């Protein structure tokens, strides 16, 4: 999904090399690594572009670097705790253009590229219901940024339309926490409190599903015999789960090209 915000920007062609800042938060995730590698591949054939990857703990430091004169465009994967809307809304019309990755940013003039979470949530629900599951749940193994909320809301809406009740299991993730650990701890707590009363589970990220698989093994729940599980992202590691994880895959190479 590409949302056009401030229009078309023309870089200064007099420069031999144009700087592209790829900005992450200062905590590491698989998404950062995958997008970084895909960006390298997408820009590899253009010698006029110089990709610089930096991690930031504060959004004001990011914008100071972006507008410091060394970069022609910024690509940003933000975190939910950053006051990004205020910073973007306060920038001048001639500021270095910015593209926000991985989540929509409503109400401000900025371009965004992010997975179609609404369709992804629907596909996850459709997959579980097509296998005959009548009782399902969704485990939120990521901080609740807009892109994650879209996945969850779409999953719940599709289930509701089909007359299937869905339980929400919230890991209450904070930025920087391990979604594998939180997924494991949260599902262990849920299974300890009461018996498993759903047969299909949507985990909103593949890394969170790794923790889920360990929790299920520890509680002697067989996948997929007793519980069907589907993740989201299509990480290469999902093929090494046992059994192999079904997942809603994102084309990250296409994502980087956009």
């Amino acid at each position: 999904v590409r949302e056009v915000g401030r229009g078309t920007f023309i870089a200064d062609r007099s420069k031999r090399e144009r700087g592209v800042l790829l900005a992450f938060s200062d905590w590491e995730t698989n998404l950062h690594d995958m997008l970084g590698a895909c960006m390298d591949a997408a820009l590899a054939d253009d010698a006029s572009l110089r990709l610089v990857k930096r991690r930031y703990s504060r959004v004001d430091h990011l914008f100071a670097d972006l507008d410091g004169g060394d970069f022609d465009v910024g690509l940003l994967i933000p975190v939910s705790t950053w006051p990004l809307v205020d910073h973007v809304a306060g920038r001048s019309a001639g500021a270095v253009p910015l593209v926000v990755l991985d989540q929509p940013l409503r109400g401000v003039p900025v371009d965004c590229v992010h997975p179609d979470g609404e369709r992804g949530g629907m596909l996850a629900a459709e997959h579980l219901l097509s296998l005959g599951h009548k009782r399902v749940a969704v485990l939120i193994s990521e901080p609740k940024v807009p892109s994650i909320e879209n996945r969850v809301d779409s999953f719940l809406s599709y289930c509701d339309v089909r007359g299937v009740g869905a339980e929400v299991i919230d890991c209450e993730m904070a930025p920087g926490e391990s979604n594998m650990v939180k997924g494991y701890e949260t599902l262990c707590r849920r299974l300890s409190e009461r018996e498993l009363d759903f047969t299909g589970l949507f985990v909103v990220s593949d890394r969170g599903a790794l923790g889920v698989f360990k929790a299920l093994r520890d509680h002697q729940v067989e996948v997929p015999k007793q519980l069907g599980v589907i993740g989201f992202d299509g990480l290469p590691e999902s093929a090494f789960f046992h059994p192999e994880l079904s997942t809603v895959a994102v084309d990250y190479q296409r994502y980087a090209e956009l």
Side-chain angles (χ1 to χ4, degrees), residues 193-215:
E193 290 172 351
R194 61 184 189 273
E195 293 183 358
L196 184 69
D197 54 4
F198 50 85
T199 63
L201 177 64
F202 172 39
V203 186
V204 300
S205 65
D206 286 352
R207 285 178 61 84
L210 183 59
V212 163
F213 269 45
K214 176 170 172 50

Side-chain angles (χ1 to χ4, degrees), residues 45 63 70 88-89 101 132 169 177 193-194 201 205 213 230 237 242 254:
D45 295 332
F63 281 104
D70 293 332
V88 172
L101 305 176
I169 305 172
E177 291 186 309
E193 290 172 351
R194 61 184 189 273
L201 177 64
S205 65
F213 269 45
I230 184 169
E237 293 86 348
H242 181 71
R254 178 59 178 158

Side-chain angles (χ1 to χ4, degrees), residues 210 213 217 235-245:
L210 183 59
F213 269 45
R217 285 196 303 272
L235 298 182
E237 293 86 348
S238 64
F240 295 92
F241 285 45
H242 181 71
E244 185 173 338
L245 176 67

Side-chain angles (χ1 to χ4, degrees), residues 6-121:
R6 293 164 64 183
T8 301
F9 294 87
I10 301 175
D12 182 356
R13 300 299 181 183
S14 65
K15 293 184 178 180
R16 182 182 61 83
E17 187 178 62
R18 288 171 287 159
V20 178
L21 174 63
L22 179 57
F24 305 111
S25 63
D26 61 354
W27 49 278
E28 298 185 13
T29 71
N30 269 26
L31 173 63
H32 295 173
D33 296 337
M34 289 183 64
L35 274 179
C38 289
M39 288 294 177
D40 285 333
L43 301 179
D45 295 332
D46 192 338
S48 69
L49 297 176
R50 173 177 55 90
L51 180 65
V52 177
K53 304 171 191 174
R54 292 182 183 172
R55 298 188 179 276
Y56 295 89
S57 59
R58 292 177 47 175
V59 69
D60 53 337
H61 293 170
L62 183 159
F63 281 104
D65 280 358
L66 181 61
D67 296 326
D70 293 332
F71 299 103
D72 297 90
V73 66
L75 309 174
L76 167 63
I77 303 178
V79 296
S80 56
T81 55
W82 285 356
L84 192 59
V85 172
D86 293 340
H87 280 273
V88 172
R91 304 184 81 214
S92 65
V96 173
L98 174 71
V99 179
V100 176
L101 305 176
D102 196 45
Q103 60 178 277
L105 197 63
R106 309 298 186 189
V108 291
V110 65
D111 289 355
C112 301
V113 180
H114 56 89
D116 189 343
E118 292 182 9
R119 177 164 173 76

